[in-house]
Amino acid sequence: MMRRAMFDSGKEDAYRIICFEGAFHGRTLATLAATGNPHYMEGFGPVVEGFDHVPFNNMNAVRDAIGPQTAGIIIEPLQGEGGVRPAHLQFLRDLRAACDEYGLLLGLDEVQSGIGRTGKLFAHEWAGIKPDVVAAAKGIGGGFPLGAVLAVERAARALGPGTHGTTYGGNPLACAAGNAVLDVILAPGFLAEVTRKGEVLWNGLEALMRDYPTVFEAHRGAGLLQGLKCVGPVGTVQAAAQAEGLMVITAGENTLRVAPPLVVTDADIAEALAMLRRAVAKVAAPAQAAAQ
Ligand SMILES: Cc1ncc(COP(=O)(O)O)c(C=O)c1O
């Protein structure tokens, strides 16, 4: 959409998109290229051209990468797969300003961070910015397969009838599921509860990290998407958690990813923290013995 919008505005050569190290945008050929991680690209043939990767949260690198062929910037406000790494709010504001300065489009991938996950409907709201294009999925269907692209008129009109499409686009059943999810998420008080429960989880994980410095070295995230960077292999911690009955997944940078459902209760959080604490105690025992 961003490329096509540039084409429509007469900038036919402006097709390059600036992306970030640690990004994950999907597994179609173009989104693999936007992801830029050789691990995912191996074996899928020539990489789609036109995606320039720069370090995350580094505005000088972004400015250096902007050229006459740049169409826009795509970023996850909170990198999920990359290791639960939040973009600095000022960085997001600076990206918006740079896009305005150079006439570029700002596209946000809110597939993981959106639909209430961080305590706002979209994570970029914390920075107070207005993006041009937003990709949403995962939580938007509450488990039912649904994805959506939101865009300002300038970008949206580039995909008029006949320019783009998909067999299942606009599927009424999926949209009904999405509507039902939004009824819950936008109900008064729901997002404030996500923020509050995120703080409860945050405090519990902080305490765990303080108590087990041989297991965890960093804690980051927002709302109900939090990550613990592990000292030893994250897989060991994940397996120990699983043995206690707690489902947690891993992310880049050796990070344990904690992403409970938004309807999680305080009792669930307390139980999950207790399970994780038991698991971590088992992992820590040999590490602490070795340190002595
Ligand atoms: C931030 C982000 N963007 C995009 C995607 C891609 O979704 P899909 O693989 O369904 O294209 C994911 C999937 O995990 C994601 O986390």
Side-chain angles (χ1 to χ4, degrees):
M1 183 190 280
M2 289 161 68
R3 282 181 169 186
R4 183 78 192 204
M6 281 294 168
F7 178 87
D8 283 358
S9 69
K11 296 182 184 164
E12 290 167 23
D13 294 332
Y15 66 92
R16 305 197 71 84
I17 308 280
I18 295 173
C19 304
F20 293 89
E21 291 171 10
F24 185 87
H25 297 298
R27 293 163 191 273
T28 59
L29 285 180
T31 58
L32 274 179
T35 295
N37 183 334
H39 167 73
Y40 296 112
M41 291 191 283
E42 189 183 8
F44 289 105
V47 177
V48 175
E49 222 268 308
F51 295 88
D52 301 313
H53 288 83
V54 299
F56 197 56
N57 279 326
N58 185 330
M59 202 55 212
N60 287 337
V62 172
R63 286 188 169 271
D64 285 349
I66 294 173
Q69 292 187 313
T70 306
I73 300 171
I74 295 181
I75 185 167
E76 297 155 85
L78 172 57
Q79 285 190 342
E81 304 293 316
V84 193
R85 299 197 307 163
H88 301 150
L89 298 183
Q90 190 55 43
F91 182 62
L92 293 174
R93 293 181 198 120
D94 290 346
L95 289 180
R96 176 70 272 175
C99 285
D100 292 342
E101 183 182 340
Y102 293 99
L104 310 178
L105 292 165
L106 180 60
L108 300 184
D109 183 338
E110 292 247 22
V111 166
Q112 276 198 48
S113 59
I115 318 297
R117 182 50 59 188
T118 69
K120 299 267 190 201
L121 183 58
F122 289 107
H124 70 261
E125 292 173 57
W126 293 108
I129 58 162
K130 196 167 177 290
D132 299 306
V133 180
V134 177
K138 296 197 194 290
I140 197 173
F144 197 86
L146 174 64
V149 182
L150 295 84
V152 297
E153 184 61 28
R154 170 189 170 209
R157 67 169 174 246
L159 295 191
T163 53
H164 190 67
T166 163
T167 304
Y168 297 116
N171 180 296
L173 177 57
C175 290
N179 250 338
V181 167
L182 286 179
D183 285 347
V184 172
I185 293 199
L186 297 177
F190 185 88
L191 289 171
E193 264 297 278
V194 171
T195 299
R196 187 192 63 76
K197 291 184 291 192
E199 283 165 11
V200 172
L201 180 64
W202 184 272
N203 293 338
L205 294 178
E206 279 289 293
L208 197 60
M209 191 176 71
R210 235 186 357 257
D211 294 344
Y212 291 101
T214 57
V215 180
F216 299 122
E217 60 179 84
H219 175 206
R220 56 200 177 205
L224 287 172
L225 179 53
Q226 299 185 28
L228 287 163
K229 188 173 180 195
C230 299
V231 177
V234 61
T236 309
V237 184
Q238 184 195 27
Q242 219 161 329
E244 292 293 334
L246 180 67
M247 223 165 68
V248 275
I249 48 175
T250 64
E253 283 202 335
N254 207 33
T255 303
L256 193 72
R257 187 169 13 165
V258 184
L262 304 190
V263 294
V264 70
T265 62
D266 284 20
D268 289 336
I269 293 173
E271 194 180 342
L273 287 168
M275 287 167 150
L276 193 55
R277 186 168 278 276
R278 284 198 296 274
V280 170
K282 285 184 188 148
V283 173
Q288 275 169 356
Q292 277 162 12

